């Protein structure tokens, strides 16, 4: 050792001689722990790799501003489900009464788990693979399962963006192409297309002009070239938004997150001015209190909360990993959760205002058609003129007058009433027609917009909004894949992003064949629900029961500067795991009770028909669930039996700052721990990163290792590779 070293000087003085590595380090000059690390692996110290790790810690991308980050989380969590799933569930499950179970479950499940994902991502500053490898290596499969689910969801979700792109470009014409049925020539006669006449113009345009759909999932029918081009455009947009990571996707979020709110507000103002809009809103918010006692309502509310916030996908963790460690993620979790809720309510108001207008239009059409039937019966003496109330004027027939006339005829002609073929034409019946998903966006809404003044403008705005909603969610979903893979395997960001988009486009061609819509339904129903529920349960267990809720709360206190409410302690430890387990059980029971099937469009009947999946489709369906869940047991087994390394080894201790290495392979477990920390094993500190400087043997040590059997230190991560953990 050089004579001028501090250690040598102390040996020749009367000062206390250091007896451990910890004491030695305590008397060295102040250490910048961002640039120093305790290495507990069998690998020799690689100076070049050390420099790369340090550079990565310093150069990890970060959000340009807090606003950009919040908009990214909002854009990810607020998606198409807020527009076409939440309003449907509201209508189906008791109107305003549905908001009560939804809000309760948002508070006791959604908010705590959303906060948990934000916190672990921000603390460890890694994607989902790195985070769960770090917290519990044996449950490291959580991250890989999240990536697979994100891939499955991204495959079909981008197809929906492709459909919206097709409608967007078709909207630049007047009249809108779905406003009227096409006329076809039958010899010398020009007649209305039969399939369109038996359904409706918007339904025909969706199933025939857009999808050119086959009669069943077994009839492939080849690729639909129009949808193939639209899918290519959709993946190109996603690739361009993602290619530079958050530097490019963050800027896209300014538009894709804010523009949908502009459109929703415009639609709400326009909708409230439409005739019948108030009927729709009143129907929506008239609570059916008995529905609140139905367990199915609570199950569907829990599922909607679960997916509305994007829990388990890894996108939330990926976005928060680019934050500074002192960011107030509790505020972020609360803000984004309730913005998501209020967006769903806003979208529901818009939907029911427009559907109220559409219901009035359809009801008036029903009254006119049935009034013509009654006039025909009066002219042919099938009905007597005495049955018509004297104040009824057929030239200005109102729905109220028609209903009065309808009741009189039904009473008098009770025995032969069915033969007359008259419909009741009740507004309530029109409002009770449940429409969700693609049926709401591409059939019901498009039909309503054909009756708007300046309908092409509103159509362009609506589908541009859908594109932006979808793009915001896709960026979050793709970040759930790219961030953990890039962090873990150190691949080039641009190359991996482009390659991922190309591969996803090629696999996604299954969704743009003529039977593709049936595969979209299959993936939407089964590829994510059960695997994601298991993923989130294991996330909760890993933090609350394996790592420890008290320890995690202490880490959050250090990170945030204040202690989170005890509410989170109890929800993480007890309430959320129990609720998620009940949800998973209910989902499994639902799968068993309701055999998997889909709604097929039968061309000859011009109507939908429920069909069960054939055997080969069932095999695909089951494979999707198994494949998405497979990393969970596989990684556990491999690491439990030490078939693969989890990054933990105790053959050497390397202190890079001081350029010194000491072989301790011949020490016993307890001696080894005391050698490193000058403490007994039970006093070893938390393996989670800490931002406090190491002040000496009397302070809390930042050299973070957890004691494990056989002398292994087991967080599963080389601590040098945890950027900005300030070890």
């Amino acid at each position: 050792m050089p004579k001028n070293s501090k250690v040598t000087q102390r040996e020749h003085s009367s000062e206390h001689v250091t007896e451990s590595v910890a004491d030695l380090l305590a008397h060295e000059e102040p250490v910048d722990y961002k640039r120093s690390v305790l290495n507990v692996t069998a690998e020799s110290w690689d100076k070049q790799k050390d420099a790369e790790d340090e550079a990565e810690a310093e150069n990890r991308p970060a959000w340009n501003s807090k606003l950009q980050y919040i908009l990214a989380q909002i854009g990810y969590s607020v998606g198409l489900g807020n527009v076409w799933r939440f309003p449907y569930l509201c209508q189906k499950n008791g109107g305003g009464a549905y908001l009560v179970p939804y809000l309760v479950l948002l508070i006791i499940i959604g908010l705590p788990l959303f906060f948990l994902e934000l916190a672990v991502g921000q603390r460890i500053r890694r994607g989902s693979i790195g985070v769960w490898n770090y917290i519990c290596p044996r449950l490291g499969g959580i991250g890989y399962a999240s990536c697979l689910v994100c891939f499955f969801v991204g495959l079909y979700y981008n197809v929906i963006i492709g459909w919206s792109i097709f409608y967007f470009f078709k909207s630049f014409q007047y009249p809108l192409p779905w406003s009227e049925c096409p006329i076809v020539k039958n010899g010398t006669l020009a007649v209305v297309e039969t399939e369109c006449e038996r359904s409706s113009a918007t339904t025909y345009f969706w199933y025939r002009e857009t999808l050119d759909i086959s009669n069943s999932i077994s009839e492939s029918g080849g690729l639909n070239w129009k949808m193939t081009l639209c899918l290519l455009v959709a993946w190109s947009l996603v690739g361009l938004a993602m290619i530079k990571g958050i530097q490019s996707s963050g800027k896209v979020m300014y538009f894709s997150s804010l523009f949908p709110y502009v459109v929703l507000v415009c639609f709400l103002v326009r909708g409230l001015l439409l005739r019948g809009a108030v009927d729709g809103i009143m129907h929506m918010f008239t609570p059916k209190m008995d529905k609140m006692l139905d367990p199915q309502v609570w199950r569907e509310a829990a599922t909607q909360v679960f997916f509305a916030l994007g829990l388990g996908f890894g996108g939330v963790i990926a976005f928060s990993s680019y934050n500074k460690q002192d960011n107030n993620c509790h505020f972020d979790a609360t803000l984004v959760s309730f913005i998501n809720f209020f967006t769903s309510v806003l979208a529901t108001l818009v939907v029911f205002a427009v559907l109220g207008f559409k219901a009035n239009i359809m009801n008036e059409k029903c009254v006119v058609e049935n009034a013509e039937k009654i006039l025909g019966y009066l002219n042919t003496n099938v009905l007597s003129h005495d049955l018509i109330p004297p104040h009824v004027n057929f030239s200005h027939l109102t729905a109220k007058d028609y209903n009065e006339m309808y009741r009189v005829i039904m009473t008098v002609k009770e025995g032969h009433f069915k033969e007359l073929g008259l419909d009741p034409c009740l507004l309530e019946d029109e409002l009770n027609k449940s429409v969700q998903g693609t049926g709401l966006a591409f059939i019901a809404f498009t039909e309503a917009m054909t009756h708007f003044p300046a309908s092409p403008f509103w159509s362009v705005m609506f589908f541009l909004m859908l594109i932006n909603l979808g793009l915001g969610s896709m960026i979050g979903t793709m970040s759930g894949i790219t961030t953990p893979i890039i962090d873990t395997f150190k691949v080039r960001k641009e190359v991996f992003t482009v390659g991922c988009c190309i591969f996803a486009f090629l696999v996604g061609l299954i969704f743009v064949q003529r039977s593709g819509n049936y595969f979209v339904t299959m993936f939407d129903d089964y590829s994510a629900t059960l695997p994601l529920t298991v993923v989130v349960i294991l996330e909760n267990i890993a933090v609350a029961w394996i790592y420890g809720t008290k320890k995690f709360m202490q880490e959050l206190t250090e990170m945030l500067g204040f202690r989170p409410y005890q509410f989170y302690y109890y929800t993480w430890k007890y309430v959320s795991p129990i609720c998620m387990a009940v949800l998973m059980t209910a989902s499994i029971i639902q799968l068993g009770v309701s055999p998997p099937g889909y709604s097929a469009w039968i061309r000859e009947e011009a109507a939908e028909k429920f069909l069960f999946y054939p055997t080969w489709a069932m095999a695909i369906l089951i494979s999707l669930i198994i494949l998405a869940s497979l990393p969970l047991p596989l990684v556990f087994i491999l690491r439990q039996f030490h078939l693969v390394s989890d990054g933990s080894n105790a053959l050497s201790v390397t202190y890079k700052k001081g350029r010194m290495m000491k072989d301790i392979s011949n020490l016993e477990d307890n001696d080894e721990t005391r050698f490193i920390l000058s403490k007994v094993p039970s006093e070893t500190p938390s393996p989670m990163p800490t931002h406090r400087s190491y002040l000496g043997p009397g302070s809390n040590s930042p050299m973070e290792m957890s004691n494990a059997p056989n002398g292994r230190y087991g967080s599963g991560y080389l601590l040098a590779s945890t950027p900005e953990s300030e070890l």
Side-chain angles (χ1 to χ4, degrees):
M1 187 175 292
K3 291 183 179 181
N4 59 352
S5 74
K6 293 185 179 181
V7 177
T8 305
Q9 292 173 12
R10 284 196 295 271
E11 286 176 354
H12 290 46
S13 69
S14 59
E15 295 180 13
H16 174 68
V17 178
T18 57
E19 296 180 354
S20 69
V21 174
D23 290 330
L24 180 63
L25 297 182
H27 289 87
E28 286 289 326
E29 70 255 21
V31 176
D32 179 3
Y33 280 96
K34 278 189 179 182
R35 299 180 178 277
S36 64
V37 71
L38 182 68
N39 182 359
V40 286
T41 70
E43 298 175 358
S44 61
W45 173 34
D46 187 336
K47 184 176 181 179
Q48 182 178 356
K49 188 176 185 303
D50 179 25
E52 291 174 357
D53 289 341
E54 292 181 8
E56 181 188 355
E58 293 296 325
N59 298 327
R60 184 172 179 82
W63 298 103
N64 291 334
S65 66
K66 181 65 174 280
L67 176 62
Q68 190 181 82
Y69 164 67
I70 293 295
L71 289 177
Q73 290 287 15
I74 291 172
Y76 173 52
S77 66
V78 175
L80 298 174
N82 297 76
V83 175
W84 67 33
R85 177 72 177 165
F86 187 88
Y88 161 75
L89 291 174
C90 235
Q91 180 188 28
K92 175 186 174 187
N93 295 320
Y98 173 74
L99 298 179
V100 175
Y102 184 86
L103 195 55
V104 169
L105 292 168
L106 177 66
I107 293 172
I108 66 172
I109 295 180
L111 177 58
L113 294 178
F114 191 58
F115 178 32
L116 184 146
E117 289 200 359
L118 288 180
V120 296
Q122 180 175 307
R123 187 65 165 166
I124 301 173
R125 306 204 76 200
R126 277 286 183 269
S128 57
I129 294 176
V131 161
W132 302 112
N133 272 344
Y134 186 89
I135 290 177
C136 180
R138 288 179 177 81
L139 293 182
I142 293 173
Y144 294 99
S146 294
C147 288
L148 276 174
V149 172
C150 281
F151 180 70
F152 290 152
V153 171
L155 284 177
Y156 76 83
Y157 204 89
N158 225 22
V159 176
I160 301 172
I161 299 178
W163 295 339
S164 302
I165 290 171
F166 178 77
Y167 269 80
F168 173 74
F169 285 111
K170 284 289 186 178
S171 299
F172 289 95
Q173 50 187 298
Y174 185 82
L176 291 170
W178 51 82
S179 59
E180 295 178 352
C181 286
I183 305 297
V184 294
K185 287 189 176 182
N186 185 7
T188 57
L189 298 175
V191 297
V192 177
E193 171 65 49
T194 306
E195 185 181 3
C196 182
E197 188 177 26
R198 296 175 64 181
S199 53
S200 69
T202 50
T203 303
Y204 174 83
F205 187 87
W206 167 241
Y207 283 118
R208 193 55 51 211
E209 296 293 333
T210 304
L211 302 178
D212 192 19
I213 199 164
S214 61
N215 284 355
S216 73
I217 195 172
S218 300
E219 301 174 26
S220 169
L223 291 178
N224 180 337
W225 67 269
K226 292 179 289 186
M227 289 301 101
T228 303
L229 288 178
C230 290
L231 182 62
L232 180 61
V233 172
W235 276 113
S236 300
L237 289 174
V238 172
L240 290 172
M242 293 291 301
I243 195 163
K244 292 293 183 182
I246 62 170
Q247 280 81 8
S248 56
S249 63
K251 293 179 176 63
V252 172
M253 286 298 182
Y254 282 114
F255 182 76
S256 65
S257 297
L258 293 176
F259 181 74
Y261 290 96
V262 175
V263 177
L264 284 174
V265 171
C266 290
F267 261 96
L268 181 60
V269 173
R270 183 69 189 92
L272 291 174
L273 297 175
L274 295 171
R275 179 170 42 86
V278 176
D279 294 326
I281 293 176
M282 289 295 292
H283 176 77
M284 152 65 201
F285 282 105
T286 301
K288 303 176 182 65
M289 303 306 293
D290 58 305
K291 287 282 190 179
M292 290 180 59
L293 302 176
D294 187 354
Q296 179 70 7
V297 173
W298 288 82
R299 187 188 76 82
E300 293 190 344
T303 305
Q304 179 63 17
V305 166
F306 184 76
F307 285 102
L309 293 174
L311 300 174
F313 285 91
V316 172
I317 293 175
F319 281 159
S320 66
S321 72
Y322 299 115
N323 273 330
K324 295 179 180 178
Q325 285 211 349
D326 59 353
N327 174 62
N328 188 350
C329 56
H330 175 258
F331 170 80
D332 300 341
T334 307
L335 179 66
V336 173
S337 296
F338 284 96
I339 285 178
N340 187 293
F341 172 69
F342 289 122
T343 303
S344 297
V345 175
L346 174 61
T348 302
L349 287 172
V350 172
V351 167
F352 277 89
V354 173
L355 291 183
F357 167 69
K358 175 179 176 286
N360 272 268
I361 294 291
M362 299 305 294
N363 198 54
E364 288 176 2
K365 183 179 177 182
C366 175
V367 168
V368 170
E369 291 176 352
N370 284 273
E372 290 176 354
K373 290 181 182 179
I374 292 173
L375 278 173
Y377 294 143
L378 292 173
N379 293 333
T380 57
N381 295 321
V382 174
L383 293 176
S384 170
H385 286 80
D386 296 335
L387 298 177
I388 309 302
H391 64 275
V392 171
N393 183 353
F394 276 92
S395 59
H396 296 89
L397 189 63
T398 64
K400 182 180 179 181
D401 290 340
Y402 171 77
N403 287 327
E404 184 179 349
M405 192 166 51
Y406 177 86
R407 286 194 297 270
V408 171
I409 296 173
M410 183 172 63
T411 303
V412 174
K413 294 285 187 179
E414 185 177 356
H416 306 283
F417 181 75
K418 288 185 179 179
E419 299 172 5
L420 299 177
L422 298 177
D423 299 313
C425 296
L426 296 175
L427 183 63
E428 190 73 14
D429 292 342
E430 288 291 337
L431 290 170
N432 279 329
K433 290 181 179 177
S434 299
V435 184
Q436 68 160 324
T438 54
L440 174 64
F442 298 105
I443 298 177
F445 237 83
T446 52
E447 186 170 347
M449 284 188 293
T450 59
H451 300 286
F452 282 20
S455 54
F457 168 77
W458 294 105
S459 184
V460 167
M461 293 284 282
F462 177 71
F463 288 108
L464 188 57
M465 178 189 73
L466 290 189
I467 292 169
N468 279 277
L469 284 172
L471 190 60
S473 296
M474 271 301 297
I475 288 173
T477 302
M478 290 300 292
S479 295
I481 302 173
T482 58
T483 298
I485 296 295
I486 291 169
D487 285 348
T488 304
F489 300 104
K490 305 297 186 291
V491 295
R492 280 193 60 189
K493 184 188 303 175
E494 294 82 2
V495 173
F496 179 73
T497 302
V498 172
C500 190
C501 290
I502 292 173
F503 178 70
F505 167 73
L506 294 175
V507 176
L509 292 177
I510 189 176
F511 301 107
V512 291
Q513 54 186 338
R514 289 183 58 208
S515 61
N517 187 48
Y518 307 136
F519 286 97
V520 170
T521 302
M522 176 195 292
F523 273 66
D524 187 31
D525 289 342
Y526 301 105
S527 68
T529 306
L530 196 57
L532 271 188
T533 308
V534 176
V535 162
V536 175
I537 291 174
L538 291 178
E539 286 182 358
N540 199 165
I541 291 173
V543 171
W545 289 93
I546 297 178
Y547 182 72
T549 312
K550 289 183 179 178
K551 193 186 298 182
F552 186 59
M553 291 285 279
Q554 180 60 37
E555 297 291 341
L556 288 181
T557 303
E558 294 178 5
M559 182 173 76
L560 300 176
F562 63 89
R563 186 173 182 81
Y565 301 116
Q566 283 295 107
F567 163 78
Y568 293 106
Y569 177 89
Y570 294 108
T571 51
W572 285 333
K573 198 166 183 69
Y574 305 111
V575 180
S576 296
I578 292 172
C579 290
M580 294 303 298
V582 171
L583 176 60
M584 183 180 70
T585 305
S587 299
I588 295 172
I589 293 173
Q590 183 69 17
L591 281 175
V593 171
S594 303
Y598 62 100
S599 292
W601 179 259
I602 309 301
R603 182 169 191 164
E604 293 74 22
E605 300 176 10
E608 288 186 338
K609 182 179 180 181
F610 184 82
L611 299 177
F612 294 110
Y613 286 112
T615 305
W616 62 268
M618 284 293 296
I620 294 177
L621 186 154
I622 295 170
S623 299
L624 286 174
I625 298 174
I626 293 175
L627 187 59
S629 307
L630 188 60
L632 300 169
L634 186 62
V635 172
F636 180 85
I637 292 170
L638 291 175
R639 289 180 174 169
Q640 175 68 26
F641 296 101
H642 309 297
L643 300 177
V644 295
S645 172
D646 60 3
S648 302
N649 203 302
L651 291 181
S652 65
V653 175
T654 305
Y655 181 64
K656 297 178 182 176
K657 178 73 177 179
R659 303 288 201 280
M660 48 186 260
M661 178 184 293
K662 177 80 174 180
D663 184 7
I664 59 170
S665 57
N666 60 339
L667 296 178
E668 295 294 333
D669 290 353
N670 293 346
D671 293 337
E672 180 182 56
T673 306
R674 282 197 297 271
F675 182 84
I676 298 168
L677 300 176
S678 192
K679 290 175 181 270
V680 296
S682 62
E683 296 174 330
T684 56
S686 159
M688 291 289 283
T690 178
H691 57 268
R692 295 177 298 173
S693 299
Y694 179 63
L695 303 176
S699 66
N700 292 329
S701 174
M703 292 179 290
E704 296 159 42
M705 304 179 338
S706 61
N707 193 31
N710 303 322
R712 293 182 178 272
Y713 294 89
S715 71
Y717 258 80
L718 191 65
L719 298 183
S721 66
T722 306
E724 297 193 20
S725 57
E726 302 189 20
L727 301 173

